[in-house]
Amino acid sequence: MHGFIPPARFFPYLTWTEIQAMPDKANVVIIQPVGTIEQHGPHLPLIVDSAIGVGVLGKALEKLEPEIPAYALPPLYYGKSTEHLPSTARRLPP
């Protein structure tokens, strides 16, 4: 379920006891990746924006020293793609 995120950095994999035992909770970084699910033409999958964001986050988390408390949440998929509709469908009613 962690995809590009290193398993040790995937917050949902932690148990409540691991979270409770974290020292200095105020300085734990939890990152919520956000990306769209929308069409990009026939050459790319719908998830391309989200996949790029999660992939970059995963690579960044891999480079952190293990003692740095930073974790990723699952991605939030979001999108609004009315710009892809024909121009007649985008017009506001009079």
Side-chain angles (χ1 to χ4, degrees):
M1 295 178 65
H2 58 276
F4 296 114
I5 305 298
R9 297 285 188 178
F10 194 55
F11 194 76
Y13 288 169
L14 298 175
T15 65
W16 71 267
T17 55
E18 290 170 323
I19 295 168
Q20 185 179 40
M22 285 180 179
D24 197 17
K25 288 182 195 65
N27 288 310
V28 173
V29 176
I30 300 175
I31 304 161
Q32 173 76 71
V34 178
T36 61
I37 297 290
E38 63 183 11
Q39 67 88 11
H40 290 85
H43 64 295
L44 292 172
L46 299 177
I47 199 169
V48 71
D49 295 329
S50 295
I52 290 170
V54 175
V56 168
L57 174 58
K59 287 295 181 187
L61 290 172
E62 283 177 3
K63 294 180 181 293
L64 288 179
E65 297 297 324
E67 62 274 2
I68 296 174
Y71 301 91
L73 294 171
L76 175 63
Y77 301 111
Y78 184 81
K80 178 194 160 298
S81 303
T82 52
E83 69 274 10
H84 298 294
L85 294 173
S87 60
T88 56
R90 289 191 300 237
R91 290 190 197 142
L92 296 174

